[in-house]
Amino acid sequence: MGNAFACMPRKEQRAAAAVSRSKRMGSARSARGGPKLTPAEEELLHRQALAMAIHQHLDAGGSMSRRIDAGASMSRRMAPGSTSSRRRGDLPDSVMNAKSVQVVLENLETKKIVLVHGEGFGAWCWYKTISHLEEAGLEPVALDLTGSGIDHTDTNSIATLADYSKPLLDYLEKLPENEKVILVGHSCGGASVSYALEHYPKKISKAVFLTATMVKDGQRPFDVFSEELRSADVFLQESQFLVYGNGKDRPPTGLMFDKQQIRGLYFNQTPSKDMALAAVSMRPIPLAPIMEKLSLTPENYGTVCRYFIQTLDDHMLSPDAQEKLVRENTPDGIFKIKGSDHCPFFSKPQSLNKILLEIAQIQAPATLLPGKANAEEAAEKP
């Protein structure tokens, strides 16, 4: 659970270091809003990430990923239905254009951003986000949750959300008392973030839910997807994507979509090169954590500022479902990415980066009144 980079084979270290070197190719790019990577540099970055994925997949007997603590560079430690035209028309392009975000590092409460992947993914999925955040001078940390990435825990043995979230909880437990982090949870990773908010609120500066399961007290992560996937009872009886790791006569233990289904639900705007990365890296989804009801209290969960990032061409968690989420469990701020599928770290990485930088610089809860959403919208420039 979150193996150190130092434990990696030499060729994996070289591959990871190559990714870090490619990030530094543009040393003239300012950490305060310089020009973005050229297409050639982005292609090189992706090829190196894919090479690292394949090396680790072959050597570890599983899918690529490590815990990635990228405070200085990735080579320091490996720690990890379409949108309607009506909805798009509601948000004029002039509102959606994202401006360059200037980062004043000395004003930040924390520079450390912990990236929590969603179901089936691993730390590997954040490779573009890590590069962009590093360029801005922040310290991204990506974790493999239990049974994800190259954590070899059998997903059929994961019985609780606490088990699944253990690498994140362990990371927070080990943080010094005077340190805080920003948590970013994608998709069902939002449940792990909510669980962490309840148990370690004093170590979390802000929580960002990226088209994620921002559940209420007493709600299950699965409930967020129920409108798309039918009710839990019907789904558990009829779905052909269930995994019965303990035998057909026992309750299902996991969930695994086929490649065509994954492409349609998650990657409808994702470049083919990133779908290739996902194809060698995604793992079965443990079912128990997403079927567990969370217990969340105002005294803990409710003390940390929450922000929600909506993705407006999302087939997995529709824009309508996301609107329902923020309406029923109102965050302190709402941001929107036009033209993004369920995986903006692949389909709209620069828009995602700008939003994360903006959230990192929000100084105090008073800047956004609790219980009211401040709609800020961003989109990838062509």
Side-chain angles (χ1 to χ4, degrees):
M1 300 179 194
N3 295 324
F5 180 81
C7 299
M8 294 170 60
R10 286 185 179 274
K11 64 181 180 180
E12 292 180 25
Q13 293 184 19
R14 289 196 297 269
V19 177
S20 183
R21 286 196 300 274
S22 73
K23 173 185 70 63
R24 294 193 293 268
M25 285 171 56
S27 58
R29 288 191 295 271
S30 169
R32 301 178 185 271
K36 65 182 182 181
L37 293 172
T38 66
E41 289 170 337
E42 288 213 0
E43 179 66 21
L44 177 61
L45 180 64
H46 174 268
R47 288 179 181 274
Q48 291 166 334
L50 182 57
M52 182 170 62
I54 294 171
H55 279 311
Q56 293 183 346
H57 180 77
L58 294 174
D59 291 346
S63 296
M64 173 269 196
S65 198
R66 295 278 179 179
R67 174 177 170 187
I68 306 172
D69 184 345
S73 72
M74 285 182 69
S75 62
R76 278 185 53 197
R77 182 178 66 167
M78 295 302 272
S82 68
T83 308
S84 68
S85 59
R86 176 192 59 78
R87 176 166 293 278
R88 287 196 294 267
D90 289 343
L91 300 166
D93 289 341
S94 60
V95 176
M96 302 297 289
N97 286 337
K99 296 180 180 180
S100 178
V101 177
Q102 301 297 317
V103 181
V104 183
L105 295 177
E106 53 268 27
N107 291 342
L108 298 182
E109 182 180 9
T110 179
K111 293 192 291 183
K112 188 155 287 187
I113 298 181
V114 179
L115 304 167
V116 183
H117 63 80
E119 68 284 356
F121 292 86
W124 54 269
C125 72
W126 299 105
Y127 80 95
K128 292 181 182 179
T129 303
I130 287 170
S131 178
H132 287 309
L133 291 175
E134 283 185 329
E135 289 285 343
L138 301 183
E139 300 174 8
V141 178
L143 303 174
D144 281 327
L145 298 180
T146 307
S148 305
I150 60 164
D151 180 281
H152 296 306
T153 303
D154 182 359
T155 54
N156 297 308
S157 70
I158 301 172
T160 66
L161 181 58
D163 291 342
Y164 182 58
S165 306
K166 191 174 186 300
L168 172 61
L169 304 178
D170 288 348
Y171 179 88
L172 294 172
E173 175 68 32
K174 293 173 184 176
L175 271 182
E177 287 298 323
N178 60 342
E179 275 195 36
K180 286 190 174 186
V181 299
I182 297 172
L183 295 187
V184 180
H186 171 245
S187 199
C188 283
S192 295
V193 168
S194 295
Y195 192 89
L197 289 177
E198 180 63 27
H199 291 83
Y200 294 96
K202 294 183 179 179
K203 294 189 174 183
I204 302 167
S205 169
K206 306 176 184 79
V208 182
F209 293 82
L210 176 59
T211 182
T213 50
M214 189 175 65
V215 297
K216 300 179 295 182
D217 177 46
Q219 191 177 24
R220 298 175 298 188
F222 181 87
D223 295 338
V224 173
F225 299 97
S226 61
E227 292 185 8
E228 275 78 8
L229 299 177
R230 298 172 294 176
S231 72
D233 291 340
V234 173
F235 182 82
L236 292 176
Q237 290 174 10
E238 299 181 5
S239 176
Q240 73 252 38
F241 303 112
L242 293 171
V243 176
Y244 292 85
N246 297 326
K248 276 283 190 178
D249 58 334
R250 305 290 299 278
T253 55
L255 181 64
M256 188 64 186
F257 297 114
D258 61 36
K259 289 184 179 180
Q260 184 176 359
Q261 193 84 2
I262 289 173
R263 181 170 185 167
L265 289 173
Y266 292 90
F267 303 135
N268 50 293
Q269 295 292 345
T270 289
S272 58
K273 58 188 180 182
D274 290 315
M275 284 191 281
L277 175 62
V280 299
S281 306
M282 291 189 77
R283 297 275 301 277
I285 303 163
L287 194 59
I290 65 175
M291 291 296 182
E292 181 178 322
K293 291 182 179 181
L294 273 75
S295 178
L296 305 172
T297 64
E299 296 78 18
N300 294 314
Y301 172 85
T303 61
V304 182
C305 282
R306 292 176 290 112
Y307 302 90
F308 195 95
I309 301 176
Q310 295 180 323
T311 46
L312 301 187
D313 198 7
D314 194 326
H315 291 185
M316 184 64 185
L317 188 62
S318 72
D320 287 338
Q322 294 177 54
E323 288 286 355
K324 182 180 179 183
L325 268 178
V326 299
R327 186 169 60 246
E328 295 181 348
N329 188 15
T330 308
D332 296 280
I334 299 171
F335 298 78
K336 300 183 181 182
I337 304 179
K338 181 181 178 182
S340 175
D341 56 21
H342 195 59
C343 299
F345 40 76
F346 290 151
S347 60
K348 294 290 182 180
Q350 294 186 19
S351 291
L352 173 59
N353 180 61
K354 289 171 184 175
I355 291 172
L356 293 179
L357 294 181
E358 185 168 343
I359 292 172
Q361 294 182 91
I362 296 175
Q363 291 296 309
T367 60
L368 288 175
L369 294 177
K372 291 187 178 181
N374 177 35
E376 297 286 344
E377 292 149 5
E380 193 87 328
K381 290 184 178 180

